[in-house]
Amino acid sequence: MKKRLKINGIIMVCAGIGVIFFPKFFLRSYSGGLGGKGLEILGLALILLGQIIRVSARGYKAENSQDSRALIQGGPYQVVRNPMYLGIFLIGLGVVLVAFKWWAAVIFIIVFIIRYILLIYKEEKKLLLMFPDTYLEYCREVPRIFPSLPRMIELDIIEYLPLKIIWFKKEIGSVFSLLLLVLLVASWRGISQVGFTVYLRQSVWLLMTFALFIILVILLSRRMRQKNEPSSNKS
């Protein structure tokens, strides 16, 4: 875990240095047009969705893994075997769409594949040794990182995206630090080109996207609580 965090930290530091010293080369020029705003909204939506998936996966695993003695097959793990990596992918792609030029998305995807596919294969070998029969069957039924849309449609969203407010409280620092950083970069670029008043007026859609994220988190956590109430009442 420490080695993984160290490598991820080095990648982020290198990316940050590149942006600081060569902003015009990496960052996309601000555009108040429909295309530019559409990319920002889509990017922010992917960041927020990725955060929900990541928090859901971490929280569900923490409550059900029995200190890594059990193979998790429920919650987000019933539609994709690596939901946390899916969340990271969506967050990273969203950051690129919000602030960076289009070719940065290609670089991000290549780096993600090199970085995480190797980790996934390593973890799969470990899980195969721990749960030889069960894990093979699980791999046959559940895709590695991108979920099947028909499978998601046939399930209730709360079945594959369970969420609790307490899970978000544990992650709130990283969630809002990233959002703040991304929005600061996007705001600085926009304000420097069109001014504060114009940028604020053109950024209403970003605020609405964030508001929808808050509403979605509240609704999912409420659905989760309502789902658990009958079983707790029986006991």
Side-chain angles (χ1 to χ4, degrees), residues 98-148:
V98 169
F100 290 81
K101 295 182 179 179
W102 68 269
W103 51 262
V106 178
I107 295 176
F108 166 74
I109 292 172
I110 293 173
V111 172
F112 180 87
I113 291 173
I114 294 172
R115 175 75 186 110
Y116 286 100
I117 291 301
L118 294 176
L119 277 176
I120 288 171
Y121 284 146
K122 184 178 179 180
E123 291 173 358
E124 285 180 348
K125 289 181 180 179
K126 181 179 178 181
L127 288 169
L128 191 57
L129 289 174
M130 294 174 64
F131 314 100
D133 298 326
T134 310
Y135 189 67
L136 276 177
E137 181 65 26
Y138 176 58
C139 290
R140 282 193 286 266
E141 295 180 355
V142 180
R144 180 174 280 120
I145 194 165
F146 293 109
S148 167

Side-chain angles (χ1 to χ4, degrees), residues 8-233:
N8 290 347
I10 291 173
I11 294 173
M12 293 178 66
V13 168
C14 291
I17 290 174
V19 171
I20 290 171
F21 287 98
F22 307 100
K24 291 184 179 180
F25 181 74
F26 288 100
L27 298 180
R28 188 177 70 248
S29 298
Y30 175 76
S31 172
L34 186 60
K37 299 309 297 180
L39 282 177
E40 287 190 352
I41 293 169
L42 175 60
L44 182 59
L46 288 178
I47 293 172
L48 298 174
L49 176 60
Q51 294 285 15
I52 289 177
I53 294 172
R54 192 179 67 85
V55 170
S56 175
R58 285 178 66 107
Y60 189 88
K61 183 178 181 180
E63 290 193 358
N64 296 275
S65 68
Q66 300 176 17
D67 294 327
S68 300
R69 294 192 302 271
L71 177 64
I72 306 299
Q73 301 181 65
Y77 293 87
Q78 65 183 300
V79 292
V80 61
R81 302 204 303 266
N82 298 279
M84 279 190 277
Y85 293 153
L86 172 60
I88 292 171
F89 176 80
L90 294 178
I91 292 168
L93 185 59
V95 170
V96 171
L97 293 179
V98 169
F100 290 81
K101 295 182 179 179
W102 68 269
W103 51 262
V106 178
I107 295 176
F108 166 74
I109 292 172
I110 293 173
V111 172
F112 180 87
I113 291 173
I114 294 172
R115 175 75 186 110
Y116 286 100
I117 291 301
L118 294 176
L119 277 176
I120 288 171
Y121 284 146
K122 184 178 179 180
E123 291 173 358
E124 285 180 348
K125 289 181 180 179
K126 181 179 178 181
L127 288 169
L128 191 57
L129 289 174
M130 294 174 64
F131 314 100
D133 298 326
T134 310
Y135 189 67
L136 276 177
E137 181 65 26
Y138 176 58
C139 290
R140 282 193 286 266
E141 295 180 355
V142 180
R144 180 174 280 120
I145 194 165
F146 293 109
S148 167
L149 185 58
R151 173 64 173 161
M152 294 174 65
I153 292 175
E154 72 181 25
L155 294 172
D156 188 340
I157 187 173
I158 202 62
E159 293 183 50
Y160 61 84
L161 204 59
L163 206 62
K164 294 182 180 180
I165 294 297
I166 190 172
W167 296 350
F168 252 101
K169 287 181 178 179
K170 294 179 180 178
E171 302 283 338
I172 197 162
S174 60
V175 170
F176 284 100
S177 295
L178 177 63
L179 284 175
L180 181 61
L181 180 61
V182 172
L183 292 176
L184 281 175
V185 172
S187 301
W188 167 76
R189 194 178 70 248
I191 292 171
S192 63
Q193 293 184 33
V194 299
F196 178 78
T197 305
V198 175
Y199 175 77
L200 189 63
R201 187 168 62 248
Q202 293 177 347
S203 299
V204 172
W205 290 106
L206 292 178
L207 298 175
M208 290 179 64
T209 304
F210 184 71
L212 288 174
F213 163 75
I214 299 296
I215 293 172
L216 179 60
V217 169
I218 293 173
L219 289 177
L220 286 174
S221 61
R222 186 171 294 176
R223 285 282 308 279
M224 181 76 172
R225 187 170 64 249
Q226 290 172 348
K227 181 182 177 182
N228 291 334
E229 279 176 357
S231 58
S232 61
N233 289 338

